[in-house]
Amino acid sequence: MVKIALQLKAVLENITNLRPEGEDFRWYLKLKCLSCGEVSEKWQYVTLEESTPLKGGRGHANLVSKCKLCGRENNLDILQDSIQPYCADNTEEFRTMVVFECRGVEPVDFSPRVGFVAEGAESGLKFDEVELTEGEWMDYDENAQQPVGITELEHRFVKA
């Protein structure tokens, strides 16, 4: 098994503690089969909430997928304790947000979508619906009377 970290980098404007909300948060990934090299065409999601039994009674995994090319069954788990917020102190630096434990597969692409939350850097006001589908997000912090935003979002995967 290999541990692979998803790292994010972004410019945070008057916002901090960007993080996924809840165990039903969906991490949308494209996966590569390590047996044959096939990369999934469609986005697959993995959540902490879902768990699938593995063949042969070898436990459970958050995502079990069968490679369409070679037929191998691969799996991936989210390491719950690895989930970390992206803070204002991290702006414009790659920081690990989550680590995946991978068996026979590795993530090669990530699609940030909905389900993120963040807080105003000065006011602490919680923003419940941070949507990063377009790679950026803008709003206004009424308490601090200033614009807030997330721009220049990038990601990468590194071995953990």
Side-chain angles (χ1 to χ4, degrees), residues 35-46:
S35 180
C36 67
E38 177 76 5
V39 176
S40 59
E41 291 178 24
K42 296 181 180 177
W43 292 102
Q44 297 179 340
Y45 72 84
V46 58

Side-chain angles (χ1 to χ4, degrees), residues 8-59:
L8 293 186
K9 178 171 102 169
V11 175
L12 302 183
E13 180 185 353
N14 303 316
I15 199 97
T16 192
N17 291 331
L18 173 68
R19 64 193 180 281
E21 180 74 5
E23 290 196 0
D24 60 343
F25 179 84
R26 293 181 175 191
W27 300 93
Y28 284 91
L29 305 169
K30 284 200 177 179
L31 303 171
K32 176 182 175 180
C33 176
L34 296 179
S35 180
C36 67
E38 177 76 5
V39 176
S40 59
E41 291 178 24
K42 296 181 180 177
W43 292 102
Q44 297 179 340
Y45 72 84
V46 58
T47 72
L48 282 168
E49 185 176 67
E50 296 177 15
S51 183
T52 305
L54 299 174
K55 276 187 178 177
R58 297 177 303 170

Side-chain angles (χ1 to χ4, degrees), residues 29-134:
L29 305 169
K30 284 200 177 179
L31 303 171
K32 176 182 175 180
C33 176
L34 296 179
S35 180
C36 67
E38 177 76 5
V39 176
S40 59
E41 291 178 24
K42 296 181 180 177
W43 292 102
Q44 297 179 340
Y45 72 84
V46 58
T47 72
L48 282 168
E49 185 176 67
E50 296 177 15
S51 183
T52 305
L54 299 174
K55 276 187 178 177
R58 297 177 303 170
H60 291 75
N62 296 121
L63 174 73
V64 176
S65 67
K66 189 172 186 174
C67 178
K68 289 184 179 183
L69 190 62
C70 70
R72 180 177 170 166
E73 184 175 279
N74 303 308
N75 63 75
L76 180 140
D77 268 317
I78 301 168
L79 299 180
Q80 186 170 7
D81 294 342
S82 72
I83 299 172
Q84 300 294 319
Y86 190 84
C87 300
D89 297 345
N90 308 135
T91 195
E92 297 188 59
E93 296 175 10
F94 276 105
R95 303 298 287 190
T96 297
M97 280 204 84
V98 64
V99 176
F100 301 106
E101 191 172 74
C102 306
R103 292 173 209 84
V105 69
E106 71 180 25
V108 293
D109 203 1
F110 168 63
S111 176
R113 298 189 183 183
V114 296
F116 289 95
V117 296
E119 299 167 11
E122 290 181 27
S123 69
L125 178 66
K126 186 174 179 183
F127 292 89
D128 289 323
E129 296 183 21
V130 177
E131 183 193 325
L132 296 170
T133 305
E134 300 297 321

